[in-house]
Amino acid sequence: MLRVDEILRRDGASDELRSVINHILVGCKEIAHKLSQGELAGILGSTETENVQGETQKKLDVISNDVLKHILKQDPNVRGIASEEEDNTVAANDDGKYLVTFDPLDGSSNIDVNLSVGTIFSILEAQGEGSGDNMELFLQSGRNQVAAGYVLYGPSAILVLTTGKGVNFFTLDRHIGEFVLTKEKVCIPEDTKEFAINMSNQRFWEKPMQDYISHCLQGEEGPLGKRYNMRWVASMVAEVHRILVRGGIFMYPWDSRDPGKAGKLRLMYEGNPMSFIVEQACGRSTTGREDIMDIQPTEIHQRVPVVLGSKNEVETVMRYHQEG
Ligand code: P6P
């Protein structure tokens, strides 16, 4: 069975990039172990603190963040990190070549009910000088990503990784403590009959999104002419993984609950890495109007509306937005 480093070497990844990815995976293996302990580890539940997003932090949000921050600061190839759980970017090594952004534990509201959660990460090259605590270094469009991935902590722990040469799946073999290759060159089916959205927000969406979902619910008799199924796991990593495996469309659109924000999900460590993966896997990832990876960030925690998955279905949603 081929391991991650062998595939990275085969695909031409530099020694420095392989080192950063291997450090991230050491952290993810530690997080996987802590999650597998559940109640026994005494680390479920919430803290008394809120993160910069205004969300109450789960104990495992903080623990996972600290695990990754500690490990990445030890890699001389890492210049700095940005995390959903950190107010500001964090300096690592001033001679480091790479910047790492991550959501240490996405979907953490699922932890206490034993449902899937995941770690999402993105790697950029630091352009020029400056310490990693300078946020400006990180404000690069998603097109500049050199690698992106996630680890889905489900019944098995699965790493999904791209360095721009397609998307590969690796499963954690707990006997040897390594992620081993289990699927290569993943490609999302262009068409789908399965959509994922939090329907409880329907009254807050823009009209094009309301129209599209209304037409999905009309099934064969409606303008889209097919019967849809619906899924919602409240864990982006789980939704994206299902789409990579069998197709589908995932949407977290802008909504009027907080008009000043561009939606719930964050561009730098959710939208961009997932978009890199989805585009590398024959899919499409947009805001409903433009490709997410074309956005020039202005703030490290900025939000982004997300419509991603099966290419033809995403383009259908874009047509609804173009027609207004
Ligand atoms: P809601 C998890 O908190 C997350 O950031 C994504 O993983 C997930 O898709 C979304 O929020 C769920 O949001 O509003 O349905 O709880």
Side-chain angles (χ1 to χ4, degrees), residues 55 84 103 106-109 198 201 232 234-237 239 250 252 257 264-266 270:
E55 297 164 342
E84 177 174 300
D103 179 355
D106 177 67
S108 55
S109 61
N198 182 336
N201 299 326
W232 191 249
S235 172
M236 186 185 195
V237 179
E239 316 274 9
F250 167 83
Y252 212 110
R257 287 175 294 172
K264 175 176 184 182
L265 302 180
R266 277 63 51 153
E270 290 170 330

Side-chain angles (χ1 to χ4, degrees), residues 8 11 13 17 21 123 143 145-149 161-168 185 276-277 279-281 293:
L8 290 173
D11 289 350
L17 180 58
I21 292 171
I123 302 175
R143 298 288 174 204
Q145 294 174 101
V146 294
L161 181 65
T162 186
T163 57
K165 307 279 180 56
V167 172
N168 298 317
K185 302 290 183 237
F276 192 16
I277 291 167
E279 286 200 8
Q280 283 288 311
M293 287 205 284

Side-chain angles (χ1 to χ4, degrees), residues 23-245:
H23 276 77
I24 291 169
L25 297 184
V26 168
C28 291
K29 285 186 271 192
E30 187 171 339
I31 293 167
H33 174 69
K34 291 183 186 300
L35 286 167
S36 70
Q37 301 295 296
E39 285 288 0
L40 301 176
I43 50 179
L44 296 185
S46 298
T47 66
E48 303 298 313
T49 57
E50 279 191 357
N51 62 17
V52 66
Q53 328 287 341
E55 297 164 342
T56 301
Q57 292 177 301
K58 295 288 188 184
K59 291 175 189 168
L60 274 162
D61 280 325
V62 176
I63 292 167
S64 302
N65 183 65
D66 291 348
V67 163
L68 287 167
K69 185 167 61 170
H70 176 74
I71 283 180
L72 286 169
K73 289 179 82 168
Q74 292 175 34
D75 184 343
N77 300 293
V78 176
R79 176 85 65 88
I81 65 173
S83 166
E84 177 174 300
E85 305 302 336
E86 296 283 339
D87 295 6
N88 304 304
T89 59
V90 177
N93 304 287
D94 286 354
D95 298 329
K97 183 177 176 183
Y98 294 107
L99 305 168
V100 183
T101 73
F102 56 83
D103 179 355
L105 209 59
D106 177 67
S108 55
S109 61
N110 283 332
I111 293 172
D112 297 346
V113 294
N114 202 36
L115 293 178
S116 296
V117 292
T119 297
I120 309 171
F121 60 89
S122 167
I123 302 175
L124 294 158
E125 280 192 24
Q127 310 285 336
E129 304 307 309
S131 170
D133 55 7
N134 172 8
M135 181 187 78
E136 297 298 320
L137 279 178
F138 291 76
L139 300 182
Q140 302 179 42
S141 85
R143 298 288 174 204
N144 286 7
Q145 294 174 101
V146 294
Y150 62 77
V151 176
L152 172 61
Y153 308 107
S156 62
I158 295 182
L159 164 69
V160 172
L161 181 65
T162 186
T163 57
K165 307 279 180 56
V167 172
N168 298 317
F169 289 4
F170 303 83
T171 301
L172 180 60
D173 182 339
R174 296 178 195 267
H175 293 300
I176 62 173
E178 292 280 356
F179 286 99
V180 296
L181 183 69
T182 41
K183 198 167 186 179
E184 272 201 280
K185 302 290 183 237
V186 171
C187 203
I188 301 169
E190 286 194 337
D191 296 300
T192 186
K193 295 179 181 177
E194 190 163 69
F195 69 87
I197 197 165
N198 182 336
M199 285 298 290
S200 68
N201 299 326
Q202 194 270 353
R203 63 190 182 283
F204 302 120
W205 300 331
E206 292 179 280
K207 187 173 182 310
M209 186 55 72
Q210 290 176 333
D211 290 346
Y212 167 69
I213 294 296
S214 167
H215 292 162
C216 287
L217 297 175
Q218 291 174 29
E220 302 89 329
E221 294 76 39
L224 295 171
K226 51 186 174 180
R227 176 175 299 189
Y228 285 80
N229 186 30
M230 197 200 96
R231 285 284 182 274
W232 191 249
V233 186
S235 172
M236 186 185 195
V237 179
E239 316 274 9
V240 170
H241 195 70
R242 184 188 59 248
I243 288 168
L244 286 170
V245 170

Side-chain angles (χ1 to χ4, degrees), residues 233-307:
V233 186
S235 172
M236 186 185 195
V237 179
E239 316 274 9
V240 170
H241 195 70
R242 184 188 59 248
I243 288 168
L244 286 170
V245 170
R246 70 184 192 212
I249 184 167
F250 167 83
M251 295 158 281
Y252 212 110
W254 175 93
D255 71 53
S256 58
R257 287 175 294 172
D258 196 340
K261 288 183 180 151
K264 175 176 184 182
L265 302 180
R266 277 63 51 153
L267 174 64
M268 295 304 292
Y269 36 80
E270 290 170 330
N272 275 339
M274 290 308 201
S275 297
F276 192 16
I277 291 167
V278 165
E279 286 200 8
Q280 283 288 311
C282 324
R284 184 124 192 226
S285 183
T286 77
T287 63
R289 292 183 168 89
E290 63 175 320
D291 286 346
I292 284 175
M293 287 205 284
D294 289 337
I295 295 172
Q296 176 55 46
T298 55
E299 199 274 319
I300 199 70
H301 294 295
Q302 78 184 65
R303 311 295 180 104
V304 64
V306 178
V307 177

